[in-house]
Amino acid sequence: MHVDHAPAAATFLEELDLFASTVTGLDDDSLVAASHCRGWTVGDVVVHVHLGLQEMLLGLVSVVESAPDTDAGSYWRASLPTNDEAADRLDNVRFVRLLAAAYRRPSGLVRHLLPTVDGVRSAVRALPSGAVRFQGHVLSTGDFLATWAVELAIHQLDLARELTPAPPTAGSLRLTRATVEALAGFALPASWDDRTVALLGAGRIRPDAAQSELIEARLPVLG
């Protein structure tokens, strides 16, 4: 699955601005509401996104001449580098919760996020079309930005368990659907809206009986 640089950059920046404006409008009580991420509050999701954007910056400054070995679909199957081979998903859940709890008030974690958002926005606007090295792989810049647009779209949906934020942008939801279908290996019914496909693809909702029969346990596919 390949995504060209210009549309991927536009989609990512639109979704980045939406996520930032959404969380900026949340008060302390809203930030401790439950999210769709198991074990995380809305504020925990914000911390997770902040950590991700900080890591994304490393990719944005790692332009290479090498040919890509990973695309916008296969990226989601690639193993993430780690400095702790014994760590598992629960360790990550607890780490993010502990980091979020270190802020004096939940609103502090949003204030900490915003300068990183500004830095990422500027770096993406300056990024030339080509390839970058990220997490031990080489991706085209379009595919790299596409994976992050999908990441942000999923986390925008994660905010909506107890709250009613704006939905992800239409472009990022279309990109998420394309990613889910590429990983699943087949097109999902057109009657399933992009939001439903994103939630199923990320394992945020359980399929009903009819959906389960069709997808044959091939979802979720997004880690």
Side-chain angles (χ1 to χ4, degrees), residues 16-26 114:
L16 179 69
D17 287 345
L18 174 63
F19 187 87
S21 65
T22 297
V23 300
T24 299
L26 300 179
L114 296 180

Side-chain angles (χ1 to χ4, degrees), residues 51-64 66 68-71 75-76 78-81 131-141 143-145 147-148 151:
L51 291 171
L53 293 177
Q54 289 176 320
E55 188 172 14
M56 183 189 180
L57 279 169
L58 299 178
L60 289 168
V61 299
S62 300
V63 176
V64 295
S66 309
D69 57 30
T70 306
D71 62 29
Y75 166 80
W76 296 95
S79 298
L80 297 178
V132 296
R133 186 174 301 281
F134 183 68
Q135 294 178 340
H137 299 279
V138 177
L139 297 89
S140 74
T141 52
D143 289 347
F144 175 67
L145 295 172
T147 63
W148 283 98
E151 178 89 8

Side-chain angles (χ1 to χ4, degrees), residues 154-184:
I154 295 300
H155 291 314
Q156 182 74 14
L157 290 170
D158 283 334
L159 306 180
R161 179 174 175 182
E162 293 184 351
L163 307 179
T164 54
T169 66
S172 67
L173 281 176
R174 286 193 298 270
L175 195 53
T176 304
R177 184 190 191 106
T179 304
V180 170
E181 291 180 339
L183 291 169

Side-chain angles (χ1 to χ4, degrees), residues 33-68:
S35 78
H36 281 298
C37 281
R38 186 170 182 267
W40 282 352
T41 65
V42 166
D44 296 336
V45 173
V46 174
V47 168
H48 170 73
V49 168
H50 190 183
L51 291 171
L53 293 177
Q54 289 176 320
E55 188 172 14
M56 183 189 180
L57 279 169
L58 299 178
L60 289 168
V61 299
S62 300
V63 176
V64 295
E65 298 294 332
S66 309

Side-chain angles (χ1 to χ4, degrees), residues 178-197:
T179 304
V180 170
E181 291 180 339
L183 291 169
F186 62 95
L188 296 166
S191 60
W192 297 9
D193 63 70
D194 293 345
R195 177 180 177 276
T196 298
V197 171

